[in-house]
Amino acid sequence: MPAMMLLWGVALVLATAATTYVLHRKLTYGRGAEPDGLFWDVFGGLVVVAPAILVPAVQWPPAGLIMISIGLATAAATLVSIRKVERIHAAEPRRRAGFADDAARHEYVLEQWSRYELDPARTIDFPAMTDVRSAETAALTRAMREAEYCKVTAGTDYRAAVERLAEALEEAERAAGVPAPR
């Protein structure tokens, strides 16, 4: 009996959370909010939710009330979680503006460096720029890796990584004898 309740409880929580999430997205953002699609989303959720409530209730009548309570609590918790995530994403554009500037600078530095990889004349003139046995070039490749990692990893200091990349490029150019831009 407890194993059956646990099994149906897990099915109920997962189905309720998934159905609540899908319905919220469709009703809030209007993607696929046509009545036929909504019907099938609700129907699909109820195919699991209804048996998850009814089967335990047949075995032990108070289980029906417990399962209904679990379903309602899951739906409420899902909606609260969705709203919390939406508030976090609403604050995102302010952080994204700085990120876009950092990403543009990152791209610019990579374009500067790629000239040494893609232009045969520059590769011949400044072979140290592509030779990772040079300490400065090795530091440059580590800085590139770090900047790429920070770009896609939350909680890292992407701006500082891009700054270190720019400095590593300047240092590698200086060590390779690249003339300073005029």
Side-chain angles (χ1 to χ4, degrees):
M1 177 73 161
M4 181 184 71
M5 284 286 290
L6 181 64
L7 173 71
W8 283 110
V10 169
L12 176 65
V13 167
L14 294 175
T16 302
T19 303
T20 303
Y21 176 77
V22 168
L23 290 175
H24 177 268
R25 296 290 292 182
K26 285 188 174 185
L27 292 172
T28 302
Y29 300 108
R31 294 186 196 131
E34 69 278 349
D36 192 44
L38 291 175
F39 168 80
W40 287 110
D41 291 331
V42 170
F43 180 79
L46 288 177
V47 164
V48 178
V49 170
I53 294 171
L54 295 175
V55 171
V58 168
Q59 297 292 321
W60 184 52
L65 291 175
I66 293 169
M67 296 304 252
I68 288 172
S69 299
I70 290 172
L72 292 173
T74 300
T78 302
L79 288 172
V80 167
S81 298
I82 290 169
R83 295 224 164 75
K84 187 174 186 179
V85 169
E86 287 173 345
R87 280 193 306 274
I88 291 169
H89 285 298
E92 191 79 12
R94 291 186 296 255
R95 284 184 271 157
R96 281 284 187 205
F99 180 84
D101 295 340
D102 296 336
R105 182 159 188 229
H106 184 187
E107 188 65 31
Y108 175 76
V109 171
L110 290 178
E111 285 175 16
Q112 297 287 86
W113 172 78
S114 70
R115 295 179 305 171
Y116 301 104
E117 284 282 317
L118 302 175
D119 183 355
R122 290 185 80 75
T123 302
I124 292 169
D125 291 342
F126 308 107
M129 288 301 295
T130 57
D131 185 2
V132 292
R133 293 176 293 179
S134 164
E136 292 82 3
T137 305
L140 174 62
T141 58
R142 282 192 299 274
M144 281 186 219
R145 217 177 359 238
E146 178 193 15
E148 284 297 325
Y149 174 79
C150 290
K151 184 176 185 178
V152 297
T153 307
T156 58
D157 192 351
Y158 181 48
R159 176 167 287 157
V162 171
E163 185 61 36
R164 285 189 292 276
L165 174 61
E167 291 168 3
L169 177 63
E170 289 174 14
E171 191 61 37
E173 286 177 331
R174 192 171 15 265
V178 177
R182 295 178 193 144

